[in-house]
């Protein structure tokens, strides 16, 4: 009797194991395949800066661009004295327009943005995050090699960096500069953009100490919210004017809408304006 009981229990165990294995296989087959990334790069979530809204504790906002008609097109970066928060730049200083891309580099979106800019012969400014620079130095080298300007955008996009101690702020900016130069030793870093536009006097002091020009923006389509290409296009068109500094993103979230919008906007903008990277002056 005991042997029969054991054999029966063993049979039940085998049947149950088979059923569980079949259920697991069925569940796996119903799961969607991962979305393939550009150029064969594995898709990862990465830093989700797009889910980190601008701080409401600081004066940010959008200021109007008022270029100086007498400014030389290739002049060296203007020191603080712009019309943005705490004197950050919101205009190029000429009738030319500057496209800026924040939060990268990203192995999926940055190559697509670079390809579009190369297709239309446009150079832009990339405000890079230190931890992404360290993770993707090859993309930093590509940005520099293709003639774009680099801008320090902090180490890990800390919206509250301006509330930290002066020593902490300075160390953050230096760490990011060091990462950029480790990736591209010949790069010139002339600008800094504060995450979320959350400028403070302490951040401005660090910029002055490190000879970084604080750069804000005058056109903000809020593409960090991923509102879709149509909305991004409409907002850029409605806000654009001579001397504008345009804020867009090539990382920090799903940037498919930004890439699609660029495909439509670049030929339109080129027909209306001369596009330039923010100048870094002579070596």
């Amino acid at each position: 009797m005991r042997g029969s009981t054991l054999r029966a229990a063993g049979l039940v165990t085998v049947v149950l194991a088979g059923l569980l294995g079949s259920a697991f296989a069925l569940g796996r087959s119903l799961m969607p395949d991962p979305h393939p990334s550009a150029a064969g790069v594995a898709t990862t979530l990465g830093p989700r800066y797009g889910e980190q809204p601008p701080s409401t504790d600081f004066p940010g906002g959008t200021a109007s661009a008022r270029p100086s008609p007498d400014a030389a097109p290739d002049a060296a970066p203007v020191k603080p004295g712009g019309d943005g928060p705490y004197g950050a730049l919101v205009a190029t200083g000429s009738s030319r327009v500057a496209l800026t891309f924040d939060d990268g580099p990203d192995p999926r979106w940055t190559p697509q943005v670079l390809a579009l800019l190369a297709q239309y012969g446009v150079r832009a400014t990339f405000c890079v995050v230190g931890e992404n620079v360290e993770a993707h130095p090859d993309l930093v080298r590509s940005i520099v090699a293709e003639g774009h300007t680099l801008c320090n955008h902090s180490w890990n996009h800390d919206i509250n960096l301006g509330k930290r101690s002066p020593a902490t702020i300075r160390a953050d900016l230096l760490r990011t500069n060091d990462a950029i130069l480790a990736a591209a030793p010949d790069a010139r870093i002339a600008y800094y953009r504060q995450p979320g536009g959350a400028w403070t006097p302490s951040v401005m002091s660090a910029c002055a100490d490190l000879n970084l020009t604080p750069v804000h923006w005058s056109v903000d389509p809020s593409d960090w919210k991923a509102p879709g290409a149509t909305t991004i296009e409409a907002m850029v068109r409605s806000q654009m004017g001579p001397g504008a500094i345009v804020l867009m993103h090539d990382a920090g979230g799903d940037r498919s809408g930004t890439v699609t919008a660029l495909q439509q906007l670049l030929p339109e903008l080129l027909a209306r304006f001369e596009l330039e990277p923010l100048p870094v002056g002579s070596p």
Side-chain angles (χ1 to χ4, degrees):
M1 177 66 68
R2 180 175 300 175
S4 299
T5 301
L6 289 174
R7 283 193 297 274
L11 180 61
V12 170
T13 300
V14 171
V15 171
L16 287 175
L19 289 174
L20 288 172
S22 298
F24 177 78
L26 178 61
R28 291 284 292 178
S29 68
L30 293 176
M31 293 177 64
D33 293 331
H35 193 293
S37 61
V41 178
T43 301
T44 59
L45 287 178
R48 302 292 292 182
Y49 306 132
E51 296 171 357
Q52 187 179 31
S55 172
T56 57
D57 296 335
F58 305 90
T62 299
S64 61
R66 294 195 290 274
S68 170
D70 299 325
D74 296 320
V78 181
K79 295 303 178 184
D83 295 326
Y86 295 102
L89 296 184
V90 292
T92 62
S94 74
S95 61
R96 297 181 182 183
V97 166
L99 300 182
T100 67
F101 297 91
D102 282 16
D103 297 354
D106 179 274
R108 180 172 188 180
W109 306 114
T110 302
Q112 295 184 52
V113 171
L114 287 173
L116 281 171
L117 294 174
Q119 178 182 342
Y120 289 97
V122 172
R123 290 182 298 157
T125 299
F126 286 79
C127 298
V128 294
V129 174
E131 64 180 0
N132 291 339
V133 169
E134 187 175 71
H136 309 290
D138 55 322
L139 292 178
V140 178
R141 288 189 285 271
S142 294
I143 291 169
V144 173
E146 294 179 27
H148 305 289
T149 296
L150 286 176
C151 167
N152 184 322
H153 194 36
S154 82
W155 178 255
N156 62 355
H157 206 272
D158 179 7
I159 288 289
N160 292 310
L161 180 61
K163 295 180 177 179
R164 315 298 180 197
S165 70
T168 298
I169 295 171
R170 188 178 190 277
D172 186 289
L173 273 58
L174 273 175
R175 185 182 184 188
T176 304
N177 274 0
D178 289 345
I180 293 171
L181 293 174
D186 295 331
R188 301 199 70 240
I189 312 163
Y191 297 92
Y192 173 75
R193 174 172 281 162
Q194 176 70 359
W199 301 97
T200 66
S202 294
V203 171
M204 288 298 184
S205 294
C207 287
D209 185 42
L210 300 175
N211 200 30
L212 296 171
T213 299
V215 59
H216 200 66
W217 57 81
S218 57
V219 175
D220 178 11
S222 296
D223 68 327
W224 63 272
K225 298 179 182 178
T230 301
T231 299
I232 295 170
E233 292 171 37
M235 294 185 73
V236 170
R237 292 188 187 105
S238 66
Q239 298 176 29
M240 184 62 71
I245 296 176
V246 184
L247 171 65
M248 303 181 84
H249 295 78
D250 66 319
D254 181 355
R255 300 298 169 232
S256 56
T258 300
V259 171
T260 301
L262 274 178
Q263 292 173 336
Q264 300 299 319
L265 287 170
L266 282 173
E268 294 179 24
L269 295 178
L270 282 170
R272 297 174 56 195
F273 305 101
E274 190 171 354
L275 306 182
E276 68 168 356
L278 293 172
V280 295
S282 301

